[in-house]
Amino acid sequence: MIILKSDNEINMMREAGRIVAVVLAELAEKVAPGVTTAQLDRWAEKIIKKHHAIPTFKGYNGFPASITTSVNEELVHGIPSPKKVLREGDIISIDCGATYKGWVGDAALTVPVGEITPEAQKLLEVTERALYIGIEQARVGNRSGDISAAIQQYIERHGYGVVRNYTGHGVGRSMHEDPQVPNYGREHRGIPLKKGMTIALEPMVNIGTPRTRVLDDHWTVVTDDGKLSAHFEHTIAITNGDPLILTQL
Ligand code: MG
Ligand code: MG
C-alpha cells in the first residue's frame, strides 16, 4: 500500500532528511586514509543524537550500527568496524537513516579516500548523475518505470552494471514502504506517480557484473566479480511541480 503524505508531513520528513544530509556532509569531510569505519559510525550517531533524532539503521533487523559503510567492491550494508581502516585510493559508500519525530530520512553517497583512479572517479560521477536523472523523472504524469528506465539507460550507456537485487523504495514513518522503485525498467510501466509520494531513489552501479553476493556476516553485499561499486541515494517527495529532494542541506 502506498501512503501519500500531506504537505505538512513532507515538511516533517524534510527535517529528518536534513539531519541525514548533515551527517553525510560531515562524514564526507572526515573520510581520509587511516580513519576506521567504526569511527565514522560513532561520529554519525553523535550527530544524529545531537539533532534529537534516532539512528534508523541501528537495530533494524538487528543491524548493529547507525550507518552502513561499504568500501570498494562492497556495495551496500557494510558493517562499520574498528578493523576496517580506510586507505588512500579506496572509495567508501556511506548510507544513513535518521528518524525525527517519527519520520525517516534515508540517503547515501560514495566518497573517495584521498586520491583515486580516474576509473573510480568516473564511476562515482556516473552513479551520482544517474540518481539526479532518476529524480528528474519523479513527476506527476510519469510512472515509476520512467524513473527506472532513465536510470538504467544512463548507467548502461557507460558500460556499467545496474544492480538488480536492491531497489529504491517508498519511505515515510517506516524506512521501507511501497512502492519498490528498481534501477532498471521500462518507460510508461509501473505505478503512476502521485503528489505526496515520498521515495528513496538509490542507484547502485558496478564497474563490472551487476551480480552480487552477501558475505558470511549476513549483511555486507559485494560485487560478484570483486570490481568497484558505487551508491548514491536521496529521499524525495513528488509534488505538483519539480521533485523535492528532502535529504539535502
Ligand atoms: Mg539508504
Ligand atoms: Mg534506501
Side-chain angles (χ1 to χ4, degrees):
M1 186 186 63
I2 296 170
I3 305 165
L4 300 180
K5 281 79 176 180
S6 67
D7 290 348
N8 197 30
E9 289 171 330
I10 288 171
N11 279 333
M12 312 259 283
M13 286 186 66
R14 206 175 197 171
E15 296 295 311
R18 199 172 283 138
I19 295 166
V20 173
V22 169
V23 172
L24 291 177
E26 292 198 18
L27 293 188
E29 290 284 305
K30 290 188 184 292
V31 163
V35 169
T36 71
T37 54
Q39 280 178 296
L40 294 175
D41 180 50
R42 274 202 303 278
W43 282 321
E45 186 162 337
K46 215 185 231 178
I47 300 164
I48 292 169
K49 289 184 171 166
K50 193 175 79 188
H51 288 85
H52 310 289
I54 299 163
T56 316
F57 292 4
K58 204 164 192 179
Y60 188 88
N61 292 332
F63 191 77
S66 297
I67 53 171
T68 67
T69 50
S70 310
V71 178
N72 295 336
E73 78 283 2
E74 298 171 356
L75 203 88
V76 284
H77 305 169
I79 304 173
S81 162
K83 288 185 209 142
K84 191 90 177 181
V85 183
L86 297 177
R87 291 171 314 182
E88 180 90 20
D90 285 342
I91 59 170
I92 177 172
S93 301
I94 303 170
D95 197 337
C96 179
T99 306
Y100 182 71
K101 295 185 177 169
W103 296 94
V104 176
D106 182 13
L109 46 66
T110 304
V111 287
V113 183
E115 200 72 25
I116 60 172
T117 64
E119 189 191 33
Q121 188 58 47
K122 190 181 166 215
L123 175 71
L124 265 49
E125 284 164 16
V126 169
T127 308
E128 184 170 24
R129 185 85 190 101
L131 169 59
Y132 286 97
I133 282 170
I135 291 172
E136 193 49 39
Q137 296 298 317
R139 293 170 182 279
V140 174
N142 278 355
R143 288 174 174 261
S144 59
D146 294 307
I147 298 174
S148 305
I151 292 174
Q152 178 181 18
Q153 286 165 19
Y154 181 74
I155 293 168
E156 291 185 344
R157 203 183 311 147
H158 290 86
Y160 294 142
V162 178
V163 172
R164 304 293 200 273
N165 298 348
Y166 304 90
T167 69
H169 51 90
V171 52
R173 287 192 177 275
S174 309
M175 183 161 56
H176 293 114
E177 293 183 354
D178 288 335
Q180 284 199 351
V181 185
N183 297 304
Y184 62 95
R186 292 171 66 185
E187 286 156 17
H188 317 307
R189 302 292 174 93
I191 53 127
L193 301 177
K194 295 203 175 103
K195 177 183 186 295
M197 282 184 184
T198 46
I199 47 183
L201 297 178
E202 48 179 319
M204 288 154 249
V205 181
N206 297 351
I207 279 192
T209 177
R211 284 197 309 275
T212 64
R213 59 195 170 83
V214 179
L215 297 185
D216 289 340
D217 65 14
H218 302 297
W219 278 105
T220 312
V221 182
V222 296
T223 57
D224 204 35
D225 59 8
K227 292 185 179 168
L228 295 179
S229 183
H231 178 208
F232 282 84
E233 175 180 31
H234 271 310
T235 299
I236 63 149
I238 295 173
T239 74
N240 280 331
D242 290 333
L244 194 61
I245 299 176
L246 303 176
T247 41
Q248 73 183 3
L249 297 174

